[in-house]
Amino acid sequence: MQLVIDRIKEYKQQHNAIIAAHTYQPPEIQELADIVGDSFALAEQAAASGADTVIVCGVRFMAEGIKLLAPEKTVILAAPAAGCPMACRIDPERVARFRTENPDAAVVAYINTTAELKAEADVCVTSSSAVKIVSALPQRRILFIPDQHLGEYIWRQVPAKEIITWEGYCPVHHAVTAADLLAAKTAHPGALVAAHPECAAEVLALADFVGSTSGIIDYIGQRKEEIIVVTERGVVDLLNTRYPGRLHQLVPEKLTCPDMKLVTADTLLAVIGGAEGEIIELDPELAGRARASLIKMIALGT
């Protein structure tokens, strides 16, 4: 590993580069990263950095998000095959038709979407800012894309709004059932439950805390009890050494995103050697429209 560290350090110095890794990345990749966080935190911190080049250890929409906020930077997706099934679940043309047919409705896109979908939205949201932003919108009717579970969670928090959802979801969180969680609660009596709102309503109903990846991490840090963690296993992989014996990963065989595990130390060596990775390029007109939805999110969400 020391050889990898030394070669990456040399590359970063030569190219004024940083490595941005999502929280769901394997622990060894997070250790090599300069920035670790959830989707928007990566984009915001990478854009604000003085780096000329950003190597993204995550999935495609995350690399696009950094490019949208920092178009002047060279953004490299370390594993070009790393996609997000939810991010491209909805056809952008379908959203455009909806806008034409429903001029009174607002289109709200989860940040976990492609640039093409962001370009069709009025505003983007993160899982932590969604309720606040939807509440602040003047429109009563909201098309929320692509995650039906997060959309339903927002509606339960903001019942005055009419939240329209389609059939999108994160296949990793969607696979978790109430039976999975009830079995874990039986195995760990007294443990609290922290769940991501991309899970189904039946799962969230059993949770003590529902929040974003960063919210779950904060919640773990604030509590002393054992906690059943209902989100991608990267969170527990990251925090297990910090909180030994306190965290219980719910159904790790389900809550493992294969796309998030595509980056390895060998992948990073191939990227800095020029044999792997993809430089992200976006159509300027599309990028301008997608960027506007992110800028509005920043304005409404802070």
Side-chain angles (χ1 to χ4, degrees):
M1 181 60 78
Q2 189 58 49
L3 175 62
V4 176
I5 294 172
D6 291 343
R7 290 187 61 186
I8 288 175
K9 183 178 180 180
E10 180 181 3
Y11 176 89
K12 289 195 295 186
Q13 290 174 340
Q14 291 177 348
H15 298 269
N16 188 25
I18 59 172
I19 296 174
H22 191 269
T23 313
Y24 296 167
Q25 289 290 298
E28 62 270 21
I29 299 303
Q30 296 191 41
E31 291 175 9
L32 292 169
D34 301 284
I35 300 170
V36 176
D38 52 17
S39 305
F40 182 61
L42 287 183
E44 197 170 38
Q45 292 179 53
S49 75
D52 296 320
T53 299
V54 181
I55 299 173
V56 182
C57 301
V59 297
R60 182 169 297 274
F61 79 80
M62 297 173 186
E64 290 179 347
I66 294 172
K67 188 66 176 179
L68 288 172
L69 290 184
E72 76 285 357
K73 296 185 187 297
T74 298
V75 178
I76 302 172
L77 179 60
C84 171
M86 177 171 65
C88 55
R89 180 78 175 179
I90 306 299
D91 183 352
E93 293 183 359
R94 182 181 178 190
V95 181
R97 289 195 302 271
F98 176 89
R99 292 180 64 89
T100 300
E101 296 165 1
N102 300 271
D104 63 323
V107 176
V108 177
Y110 192 17
I111 196 167
N112 296 28
T113 49
T114 62
E116 287 80 6
L117 280 173
K118 288 181 176 71
E120 296 296 339
D122 294 291
V123 62
C124 285
V125 297
T126 64
S127 51
S128 59
S129 68
V131 170
K132 178 181 180 180
I133 290 176
V134 169
S135 299
L137 292 175
Q139 295 92 338
R140 191 184 72 84
R141 298 181 68 233
I142 309 290
L143 171 64
F144 185 84
I145 56 171
D147 185 11
Q148 59 182 290
H149 298 311
L150 180 55
E152 291 167 4
Y153 173 77
I154 296 167
W155 172 76
R156 289 193 294 274
Q157 308 306 308
V158 193
K161 300 285 187 177
E162 178 188 351
I163 307 293
I164 303 164
T165 61
W166 289 343
E167 62 276 7
Y169 55 80
C170 165
V172 175
H173 289 97
H174 182 73
V176 177
T177 66
D180 292 327
L181 185 48
L182 288 170
K185 287 168 71 72
T186 299
H188 305 287
L192 300 174
V193 176
H196 197 284
E198 291 177 15
C199 295
E202 64 173 13
V203 175
L204 300 184
L206 298 170
D208 299 286
F209 174 82
V210 177
S212 65
T213 303
S214 59
I216 290 173
I217 292 173
D218 290 343
Y219 180 76
I220 291 168
Q222 293 163 6
R223 308 296 301 200
K224 301 298 182 184
E225 300 91 339
E226 295 181 29
I227 297 177
I228 300 167
V229 181
V230 192
T231 191
E232 213 278 346
R233 65 176 300 162
V235 171
V236 173
D237 290 341
L238 172 68
L239 298 181
N240 252 340
T241 56
R242 195 182 308 174
Y243 307 110
R246 277 189 53 210
L247 306 181
H248 307 291
Q249 176 66 60
L250 185 70
V251 288
E253 69 278 6
K254 291 184 179 180
L255 283 167
T256 299
C257 175
D259 288 276
M260 283 290 188
K261 309 308 183 189
L262 290 177
V263 180
T264 66
D266 287 340
T267 303
L268 284 178
L269 284 178
V271 170
I272 65 177
E276 185 58 277
E278 176 186 340
I279 296 176
I280 298 297
E281 302 286 356
L282 296 173
D283 173 76
E285 189 274 335
L286 181 141
R289 291 191 289 126
R291 187 178 302 113
S293 66
L294 285 175
I295 298 302
K296 187 171 182 179
M297 178 186 78
I298 295 169
L300 292 176
T302 56

